[in-house]
Amino acid sequence: MGFNRENKTLRRVSSPSALPTSLKLDDDQREFCKVSGGAVRLLAPAGCGKTHSLLWRCLHLLEKSDKEKPRFLLFTFTRAASDELRDRIKNDKAFQSIAPFVTITTLNSWGFRQLKSNRHNLKLIVEKALRYTCVNNILQPVWQKHQYIRDVLTDKKRQSKATHELMDIIDQLKTLGFRHDYVQSEKHLAEHIGWLVKSGMMKHVEAVIQRLIDMEILQREDIIKELQVNFIEFWKEACELLYQSAFITLEDQKYWPLIELEKHLRGKKYTSGGGRFHHILVDEFQDINPLDLNLLKAIAAVNKAELTIVGDDDQAIYEWRGATPSFILNPDDYLDGKYTTCILGTNYRSPKNIVELSQKLIAHNKRRVSKKVKAFSTSQAQVSAVLLHGLTDSVEYVLGLVQDLLRENDCKNIAIIGRKRSQIIPYQIIFAGQNIPFYAAEDLQVFLSAAFYELKDILAIRARAGMGSIAGFNPVNDLLKLCDKIKRYPLRKTDRQSLMQHLNQARPRTIRDALKALFTYAGPLKGDNIGGRMSLDFAGAIAGLLGSKTVAESISAISDHFDGLQKDYGKSIDDIFYADPPFLHLGEYAQRYGDDYQTFYDDIEKAVSTLARIPPEDQYENEDEQWKLPLHLMTALRAKGKEFDTVIVLDANDGIWPSKLAQTEDEIEQERRLFYVATTRARKRLVYLVNKMILDEVVMPTPYLAEMGLSL
């Protein structure tokens, strides 16, 4: 029945007390493993042996079965986590016996396989071009019937942006649990929105509504009615047509399997025999969204399986993607049946003082399950909060510390953790300049982004403006290029032709001459309230840029007045809650260059070259290879699930930790959870950098340091 001789021996000694010390279970883990006859919730704080406990539960349930051997379906949050569990089973003799009975996957992977088994021609919508094709070609028969959407998509100025917005909103509604086959009336719509409010997700509904208002699809008069008539009807038809046309999104990998499973449930068709899973186990349950929740419920119901949900409400940091801690905090309210709750209380990963500090911190959150966590280790990490004047001092301090640590033989890896992506940009420059190798995830490599190249292009024009007449460069073209990039006012073709004619008549020798001519332009431009008003807006913004005397002033002017810098920067999940312009911290760091544009360019080019040599994540043989690198630059969101010898937390200041955009108690608590995650990554050394000044403003330390009892 799946056991070889070696595993039969293991069966005889599989009680925890008889196992080797390294494989023993503590009392909390043992209690979790032995729970039977119903659903289980395991709350597993950071470092408490969650993975170990999950596999031991599977082993216990398998071995206590006298008849049919149970089958397990184990869902992880990421593909990397799935790989880790499979490797554990493969390489650890204690768990090899469960291999034939355990299927490990993610919800997306599981759902995609289900869909592909019935429809082999499915195409995943990922690339921008394909998204555009789907909306403007495949969905055209649908949106042509809906006036407000038709008005947006036939407006050439708004069409491109609206296309991507619509695809995003189509998916967002699925994520939030809306159903195109269920929403039949305003009443149904209002009921589901009420459920989302109860679950603490109203901000996500408000975000969708605001996007539709900005697109002028909704008018703010009767939101529920408008949403139903102006968008939901379109959404229902669009969902069906895309699927019929064999196009699916990432969310569709879960959405359409859910619909198929619920058809089976309505027809009382349940999985039986060898195809049935007896136990559904879900890791990182605190990070699931309503669509995930409904799919898991349907899988469990079709299989008549018992659910085991595992997670840590204190590490619920993915609310930006529609997740909510409510599901793991109150499972009885959202899942069928009552749950037995087990809590792991021993941290095996972190030093004693890291455990104590993190527990003091997270205890200030009210929306959580109280836990008493003790450290298995008696070792003490080096913990310090370092007060520095500003960003330049912070960068120099970190550089010196990293150089010292890399010379130490026992230092295997270092993590530099920021709250947001823009914080790590200066560190990419300094480490590249010092030839210190580092790793940063692809969407954190800002210097390889379109936004950065746009910034560099504008800076190059500013640099040319100070050089007088330059052979090979046309000042009119330079000026028009800047006009094209002014926020909210891109030039139409007719505008450009008219403006170019006016500027050429002035025969400018320099871009400053062309700027003077722009101030005199009184012709019509789209958006003018008064003739010539927009040309004055253009001219004023460009004058601010050309009048800047230093690199830092130029970057500040670009961030204030020019569009395009947010285009791909906004894709990063790490900046959802803190929407600073992408080069805000770069602008502050650039103060060290004064008016030396050339040195700035040289340093930037070296950073670009360094980042370009970092292999993409999918080119590593396994994730372990990637994380063995000595130095990592990341945000707190990326640090979850990782651990490092040394952790350096950047800008431990109020306004960043927590974000200045966090206003409600729930938002403050979410920020505290993020700081908790950053804190619990450290094994030997933990350094908080605190600045006196950020962006020329006096700032205070984060209140989280005081909550932990740390002083400067």
Side-chain angles (χ1 to χ4, degrees):
M1 299 297 293
F3 292 92
N4 57 28
R5 176 179 292 182
E6 184 177 41
N7 287 323
K8 284 181 180 178
T9 302
L10 179 63
R11 266 186 95 178
R12 291 196 296 268
V13 299
S14 62
S15 67
S17 61
L19 289 173
T21 303
S22 61
L23 297 177
K24 280 186 177 180
L25 300 176
D26 62 37
D27 291 343
D28 296 330
Q29 294 169 331
R30 188 181 299 111
E31 179 185 353
F32 164 66
C33 290
K34 291 185 175 181
V35 173
S36 61
V40 186
R41 172 181 67 164
L42 176 66
L43 297 177
C48 287
K50 172 189 64 177
T51 301
H52 186 68
S53 301
L54 264 175
L55 295 179
W56 269 108
R57 175 162 175 77
C58 293
L59 181 63
H60 177 81
L61 292 170
L62 181 69
E63 293 192 341
K64 82 168 193 173
S65 175
D66 296 326
K67 299 179 181 179
E68 179 185 12
K69 291 299 180 184
R71 295 177 68 241
F72 307 90
L73 179 57
L74 205 163
F75 287 109
T76 65
F77 192 62
T78 64
R79 185 176 64 182
S82 292
D83 292 340
E84 179 190 347
L85 279 168
R86 293 192 197 97
D87 289 343
R88 182 78 67 92
I89 291 173
K90 179 181 177 181
N91 299 321
D92 193 328
K93 291 182 179 180
F95 303 122
Q96 288 173 358
S97 61
I98 65 176
F101 307 98
V102 180
T103 298
I104 303 171
T105 185
T106 64
L107 278 172
N108 279 80
S109 296
W110 182 88
F112 189 66
R113 285 196 297 271
Q114 300 300 308
L115 294 178
K116 290 288 284 187
S117 65
N118 297 317
R119 302 188 65 178
H120 301 289
N121 62 335
L122 288 175
K123 304 178 193 67
L124 193 60
I125 306 170
V126 179
E127 297 85 2
K128 282 186 176 181
L130 189 53
R131 289 162 68 92
Y132 189 88
T133 298
C134 286
V135 172
N136 291 285
N137 295 340
I138 295 172
L139 295 183
Q140 187 172 139
V142 177
W143 58 255
Q144 284 285 7
K145 298 187 297 182
H146 298 271
Q147 178 189 339
Y148 290 99
I149 299 173
R150 183 176 67 245
D151 290 347
V152 172
L153 291 177
T154 53
D155 184 335
K156 295 297 183 184
K157 183 180 176 180
R158 297 187 290 171
Q159 185 186 54
S160 179
K161 182 179 180 181
T163 295
H164 301 294
E165 287 275 354
L166 284 172
M167 288 300 295
D168 286 344
I169 295 170
I170 286 171
D171 265 2
Q172 275 187 294
L173 292 177
K174 295 170 184 172
T175 299
L176 294 174
F178 290 88
R179 293 281 296 273
H180 82 280
D181 54 339
Y182 277 5
V183 181
Q184 304 296 334
S185 65
E186 293 173 32
K187 180 182 177 183
H188 286 109
L189 186 62
E191 286 175 349
H192 187 69
I193 290 176
W195 181 86
L196 290 171
V197 172
K198 174 191 172 187
S199 306
M201 290 183 287
M202 187 57 195
K203 63 184 176 184
H204 299 291
V205 179
E206 291 173 344
V208 171
I209 289 171
Q210 188 59 54
R211 293 177 79 172
L212 291 171
I213 289 172
D214 293 342
M215 295 170 70
E216 300 180 359
I217 293 173
L218 303 185
Q219 310 301 316
R220 290 187 183 273
E221 295 173 1
D222 185 343
I223 289 297
I224 297 293
K225 183 176 181 179
E226 284 186 77
L227 186 60
Q228 176 67 25
V229 176
N230 296 1
F231 191 78
I232 292 294
E233 291 301 321
F234 156 79
W235 176 73
K236 289 161 61 175
E237 295 177 62
C239 290
E240 196 68 46
L241 182 55
L242 279 175
Y243 190 59
Q244 289 174 1
S245 304
F247 286 99
I248 61 170
T249 65
L250 290 173
E251 289 299 86
D252 283 333
Q253 293 177 328
K254 298 175 290 187
Y255 183 76
W256 287 102
L258 168 63
I259 289 175
E260 291 301 314
L261 285 175
E262 291 196 345
K263 287 179 181 177
H264 283 274
L265 289 171
R266 288 194 293 272
K268 297 185 178 180
K269 298 178 180 179
Y270 302 102
T271 302
S272 60
R276 178 193 171 198
F277 289 103
H278 302 80
H279 297 273
I280 311 295
L281 302 98
V282 187
D283 194 13
E284 305 292 0
F285 195 81
Q286 78 279 351
D287 294 328
I288 69 167
N289 58 42
L291 174 57
D292 300 332
L293 177 74
N294 291 333
L295 179 57
L296 288 167
K297 289 171 64 175
I299 294 172
V302 166
N303 285 273
K304 294 187 174 181
E306 293 182 351
L307 263 174
T308 296
I309 60 175
V310 180
D312 182 12
D313 52 298
D314 292 331
Q315 297 186 77
I317 60 174
Y318 288 98
E319 290 192 66
W320 56 269
R321 65 176 290 276
T324 173
S326 296
F327 298 155
I328 195 166
L329 287 172
N330 305 296
D332 294 351
D333 295 343
Y334 299 99
L335 299 166
D336 301 328
K338 295 292 183 179
Y339 275 71
T340 299
T341 294
C342 300
I343 301 176
L344 302 184
T346 303
N347 183 307
Y348 294 95
R349 180 178 68 202
S350 303
K352 186 172 185 292
N353 56 337
I354 297 290
V355 174
E356 292 169 349
L357 288 170
S358 63
Q359 289 300 301
K360 285 182 182 179
L361 171 71
I362 206 64
H364 285 80
N365 276 8
K366 297 177 182 178
R367 193 183 177 198
R368 66 185 293 264
V369 176
S370 180
K371 313 171 191 70
K372 293 183 179 180
V373 181
K374 62 180 184 295
F376 181 80
S377 172
T378 58
S379 66
Q380 300 281 332
Q382 298 180 48
V383 180
S384 58
V386 181
L387 183 63
L388 299 162
H389 180 74
L391 178 62
T392 300
D393 291 339
S394 293
V395 173
E396 294 295 337
Y397 178 87
V398 170
L399 174 62
L401 178 59
V402 167
Q403 289 173 328
D404 290 342
L405 290 171
L406 291 177
R407 286 192 289 266
E408 297 178 7
N409 294 327
D410 64 338
C411 182
K412 296 179 180 178
N413 48 36
I414 306 163
I416 297 173
I417 300 177
R419 172 64 185 84
K420 50 199 177 75
R421 188 166 68 157
S422 61
Q423 288 173 269
I424 69 173
I425 293 175
Y427 297 89
Q428 293 179 354
I429 299 172
I430 197 73
F431 290 133
Q434 294 293 321
N435 296 312
I436 297 175
F438 62 86
Y439 178 83
E442 286 179 76
D443 71 336
L444 300 182
Q445 298 171 14
V446 177
F447 293 130
L448 303 183
S449 70
F452 170 72
Y453 285 103
E454 185 153 355
L455 172 88
K456 205 166 79 164
D457 193 33
I458 298 174
L459 281 176
I461 295 174
R462 160 61 187 83
R464 289 197 294 272
M467 301 176 187
S469 181
I470 305 173
F473 288 100
N474 185 318
V476 172
N477 288 342
D478 273 353
L479 188 70
L480 288 172
K481 190 179 289 185
L482 293 178
C483 289
D484 280 331
K485 300 179 186 299
I486 298 292
K487 287 181 179 179
R488 303 183 301 280
Y489 303 127
L491 291 174
R492 299 179 303 170
K493 186 177 181 180
T494 54
D495 295 336
R496 168 178 275 274
Q497 290 173 342
S498 175
L499 197 52
M500 181 182 288
Q501 184 178 5
H502 173 81
L503 295 174
N504 281 326
Q505 286 176 350
R507 298 183 178 180
R509 296 185 60 197
T510 69
I511 189 173
R512 295 182 187 275
D513 293 338
L515 178 62
K516 292 177 182 177
L518 180 60
F519 273 106
T520 67
Y521 182 75
L525 292 173
K526 187 174 182 181
D528 274 349
N529 294 320
I530 304 171
R533 177 66 257 177
M534 190 177 294
S535 64
L536 292 177
D537 290 344
F538 285 159
I542 294 168
L545 171 66
L546 300 185
S548 59
K549 294 182 173 54
T550 65
V551 178
E553 289 176 5
S554 296
I555 294 174
S556 177
I558 293 168
S559 296
D560 287 342
H561 298 297
F562 293 84
D563 205 7
L565 297 179
Q566 302 285 353
K567 286 181 180 177
D568 62 35
Y569 189 79
K571 294 178 184 177
S572 176
I573 64 176
D574 304 280
D575 296 283
I576 296 296
F577 304 114
Y578 202 104
D580 279 343
F583 302 111
L584 203 60
H585 285 74
L586 177 62
E588 183 175 6
Y589 182 71
Q591 291 175 2
R592 67 188 296 168
Y593 295 93
D595 61 356
D596 189 352
Y597 283 84
Q598 190 57 57
T599 301
F600 177 76
Y601 285 138
D602 292 343
D603 287 353
I604 291 297
E605 286 300 322
K606 192 160 186 178
V608 170
S609 175
T610 300
L611 289 165
R613 293 194 300 270
I614 296 177
E617 292 181 41
D618 59 3
Q619 290 187 16
Y620 288 94
E621 291 185 8
N622 55 65
E623 196 183 33
D624 286 342
E625 180 187 352
Q626 168 191 327
W627 292 102
K628 285 178 181 176
L629 295 171
L631 180 61
H632 293 259
L633 307 182
M634 66 183 68
T635 58
L637 280 171
R638 302 305 179 94
K640 188 170 179 288
K642 310 300 179 188
E643 54 186 273
F644 304 89
D645 289 339
T646 297
V647 169
I648 302 169
V649 180
L650 301 176
D651 304 327
N653 290 93
D654 196 12
I656 295 181
W657 307 88
S659 160
K660 63 184 179 184
L661 296 185
Q663 300 296 320
T664 68
E665 185 174 343
D666 281 353
E667 290 169 341
I668 297 293
E669 289 199 355
Q670 180 164 315
E671 294 287 307
R672 187 178 285 109
R673 290 196 292 269
L674 204 58
F675 201 72
Y676 170 84
V677 167
T679 295
T680 54
R681 302 307 97 192
R683 285 192 295 242
K684 296 180 180 180
R685 184 192 299 261
L686 175 62
V687 181
Y688 299 103
L689 298 186
V690 184
N691 296 306
K692 294 179 182 178
M693 305 281 293
I694 293 180
L695 304 172
D696 297 321
E697 294 183 4
V698 176
V699 289
M700 299 298 293
T702 172
Y704 300 149
L705 293 179
E707 291 175 1
M708 291 189 291
L710 291 176
S711 59
L712 295 170

